[in-house]
Amino acid sequence: MIHIPILRAGRSYKSLTTVDVPHVKGGEPVARVSQANQGLIAKDLHSVDQNWRALEALTVSELLVICKEAAQLFAETELPLDGASQSPDDYVHCLSATTGMPESLCWKNMAKIRVVLEELEAILGGLTRGLDLSVLDEGWGVQDGRHLSYVPQTEALGAVLPNNSPGVHALWIPAVALKTPLILKPGSLEPWTPFRISQALIEAGCPMEAFGFYPTDYSGSSEILLRSGRSMLFGGGTTVSPWKTDSRVQIHGPGQSKIILADDTIAGWEDYADLMVASVAENGGRSCINASGVWVPSDGKEVAEALASRLSRIEARPLDDPEAGIAAFPNPEVAHHMSNLIDSHLKVPGATDITAMVRGTERLAQVDGCTFLLPTVIWCEDWQHPLANTEFLFPFVSVVEVPQTAMLERIGPTLVVTAITENRKFRRDLTNSLAVDRLNLGPIPTNQISWDQPHEGNLFDFLYQQRALQIEPRR
């Protein structure tokens, strides 16, 4: 059986405590994963300064070259896996088998990660607003006639990672080029991607000391968050809630992303049907940047019926089917619970499951031994309905009808808003809204990422702080 080890400063470590990762079909073990306990993590983090010095010895320019080489290794070659090796095909098969994501979507996410590794220089240019990155090598420098200095805020970036989509791992990759070692806690079903990225970077010449990989339980995750100077935390509302007030932890929780059509564009809503479908369903609807809401000032039911007609064509297929577009649930009980929760909320007046009428079949589907939830479109007449502003781990969207004048005070915290309007005042209101994290003005899918723009908080600003610097001129 495949064994996935702990990485302690890049070196493989086999624990006496292991956990088997099951196949979504039948539950047969796919891999055995060594588990790090709280004490081991605390011990390793106590000496993380040594790992930081190993990475600090390289220039940012050298690290960018390493990342570019790692892109090709990650996507095309066999990489070490605890004394054996793993090909790209093996990686995709294993990733699909434990997460339920179709192999076709695994390949797409693999390509996304490759692009990030290849284009890190441009990505850092966006995150740093064009900073001459050699400033990070020397600690200070001169740019545009100004003295600049940046001081690191941590000797390691912790990351408590999710299972939902391998593409999210692209968010911590820039830390390597920013000279920050990593303390990675993988999702219980998705150890494959962070381990493979780490091995690709080590093979490309990155100091192995830069990589800590700690599969662990809740107490181990808390240890990472408490002891790392800076951390990223991915998870649902219950998981991230206790850490929301901790400035050392960057939260990546539910997105509740939305498409907004305004008074001046709603008459032409049919022109944006493809945009809405893509925003809801791309990547199997498993990302926080997938739209879970379409907010309109009128014609809400017509929009919901059109979306239901389009999204109902997406079928559950075997995971190795090239046309597969939605993911299976590794734990069928979770799918049943979600579906039952939606049905229980539908008993509250003010919302209708339009797809149930269009499709005429159950929301739950069993195909090739796997459990799926089929795309679901809810028409909400009441913006306060429990289903008006929520998201689930499959293509689920609520169409909510609200007057334009009330939209921004009612949408609630939203990771991505795609606003389709030419109204200058409304655009200005959108840019001023504290509820909106990322804003797309115009028909841009919510799931379309510009990697030189912050996803959810700016990683450079999170890892570095500008310090005041004055230097006496030489006489």
Side-chain angles (χ1 to χ4, degrees):
M1 183 187 299
I2 298 171
H3 172 249
I4 300 177
I6 297 165
L7 294 180
R8 304 178 68 186
R11 293 170 176 82
S12 294
Y13 177 85
K14 187 173 184 178
S15 174
L16 293 176
T17 305
T18 61
V19 170
D20 289 348
V21 186
H23 199 295
V24 292
K25 291 194 291 185
E28 304 289 334
V30 176
R32 185 156 290 162
V33 184
S34 280
Q35 298 294 292
N37 62 39
Q38 186 177 4
L40 181 139
I41 293 170
K43 179 182 177 181
D44 286 1
L45 283 174
H46 185 69
S47 57
V48 76
D49 59 317
Q50 300 171 27
N51 305 333
W52 180 81
R53 283 195 289 271
L55 203 54
E56 170 66 15
L58 296 176
T59 66
V60 174
S61 179
E62 289 170 333
L63 289 169
L64 288 171
V65 171
I66 287 170
C67 289
K68 186 161 286 195
E69 183 176 342
Q72 184 267 331
L73 295 172
F74 173 77
E76 297 183 13
T77 66
E78 293 197 1
L79 290 169
L81 182 58
D82 194 41
S85 62
Q86 182 191 61
S87 70
D89 282 340
D90 294 336
Y91 159 72
V92 166
H93 292 327
C94 291
L95 177 63
S96 177
T98 62
T99 65
M101 178 164 279
E103 292 183 5
S104 59
L105 297 184
C106 293
W107 285 109
K108 287 182 179 180
N109 280 274
M110 196 176 192
K112 182 188 298 184
I113 292 168
R114 177 176 188 163
V115 168
V116 170
L117 284 163
E118 287 176 335
E119 300 299 330
L120 261 185
E121 185 171 5
I123 291 168
L124 293 186
L127 295 178
T128 65
R129 305 166 191 87
L131 177 70
D132 180 348
L133 295 172
S134 66
V135 169
L136 304 184
D137 301 326
E138 300 297 329
W140 69 279
V142 179
Q143 188 168 346
D144 299 327
R146 295 181 299 130
H147 289 106
L148 293 175
S149 179
Y150 286 86
V151 59
Q153 298 299 289
T154 183
E155 293 176 329
L157 174 67
V160 177
L161 301 168
N163 292 310
N164 62 309
S165 173
V168 302
H169 299 294
L171 299 177
W172 53 259
I173 288 174
V176 176
L178 291 172
K179 301 190 170 194
T180 308
L182 293 157
I183 306 296
L184 305 174
K185 186 274 175 188
S188 58
L189 303 176
E190 216 283 74
W192 311 102
T193 307
F195 192 89
R196 185 171 177 84
I197 294 171
S198 300
Q199 293 302 313
L201 286 161
I202 292 169
E203 287 288 302
C206 194
M208 66 171 56
E209 292 87 349
F211 300 96
F213 179 83
Y214 297 95
T216 188
D217 58 13
Y218 177 82
S219 64
S221 298
S222 296
E223 195 71 22
I224 291 172
L225 295 172
L226 288 169
R227 289 185 177 268
S228 300
R230 293 288 186 272
S231 296
M232 305 171 81
L233 172 60
F234 296 80
T238 304
T239 300
V240 303
S241 180
W243 302 93
K244 280 190 172 181
T245 58
D246 192 330
S247 61
R248 301 168 306 136
V249 180
Q250 189 181 82
I251 300 296
H252 295 266
Q256 296 169 333
S257 298
K258 299 175 180 68
I259 295 170
I260 291 176
L261 279 81
D263 289 334
D264 63 322
T265 55
I266 187 61
W269 65 262
E270 292 176 324
D271 296 337
Y272 309 107
D274 289 343
L275 166 81
M276 290 186 268
V277 169
S279 296
V280 172
E282 285 291 321
N283 203 42
R286 290 180 73 130
S287 302
C288 56
I289 54 177
N290 283 115
S292 57
V294 175
W295 288 51
V296 296
S298 61
D299 301 322
K301 189 174 183 182
E302 290 81 358
V303 172
E305 289 171 345
L307 282 178
S309 177
R310 299 278 293 276
L311 289 168
S312 294
R313 300 171 196 166
I314 300 174
E315 302 175 350
R317 297 174 181 267
L319 298 181
D320 59 358
D321 188 325
E323 300 299 317
I326 55 174
F329 280 78
N331 184 348
E333 291 182 7
V334 173
H336 284 272
H337 173 74
M338 283 188 186
S339 188
N340 290 338
L341 182 63
I342 293 168
D343 288 337
S344 67
H345 285 323
L346 285 169
K347 294 176 183 177
V348 178
T352 306
D353 183 350
I354 302 297
T355 36
M357 296 184 288
V358 172
R359 187 169 51 232
T361 59
E362 296 278 338
R363 186 182 301 114
L364 278 159
Q366 303 284 336
V367 174
D368 194 32
C370 294
T371 302
F372 299 82
L373 286 176
L374 298 176
T376 297
V377 179
I378 305 295
W379 156 229
C380 286
E381 301 171 74
D382 180 3
W383 68 274
Q384 294 180 298
H385 191 276
L387 293 176
N389 201 0
T390 190
E391 68 180 35
F392 294 97
L393 202 60
F394 73 104
F396 173 95
V397 62
S398 297
V399 179
V400 186
E401 190 168 314
V402 176
Q404 178 182 302
T405 53
M407 278 185 185
L408 295 184
E409 66 185 51
R410 294 178 179 176
I411 61 171
T414 305
L415 176 57
V416 185
V417 164
T418 286
I420 303 173
T421 180
E422 295 297 329
N423 183 307
R424 292 181 63 183
K425 182 183 182 306
F426 191 42
R427 283 190 166 209
R428 184 59 178 166
D429 290 343
L430 285 157
T431 59
N432 288 335
S433 174
L434 295 178
V436 180
D437 195 319
R438 293 176 48 190
L439 177 61
N440 298 331
L441 291 175
I444 302 168
T446 59
N447 61 301
Q448 180 175 310
I449 289 177
S450 176
W451 288 110
D452 63 351
Q453 296 279 345
H455 169 71
E456 193 171 2
N458 186 312
L459 186 60
F460 175 70
D461 291 343
F462 191 54
L463 297 178
Y464 282 85
Q465 180 175 315
Q466 186 175 2
R467 65 151 57 100
L469 176 68
Q470 298 181 86
I471 299 178
E472 183 182 13
R474 291 181 178 177
R475 297 179 182 177

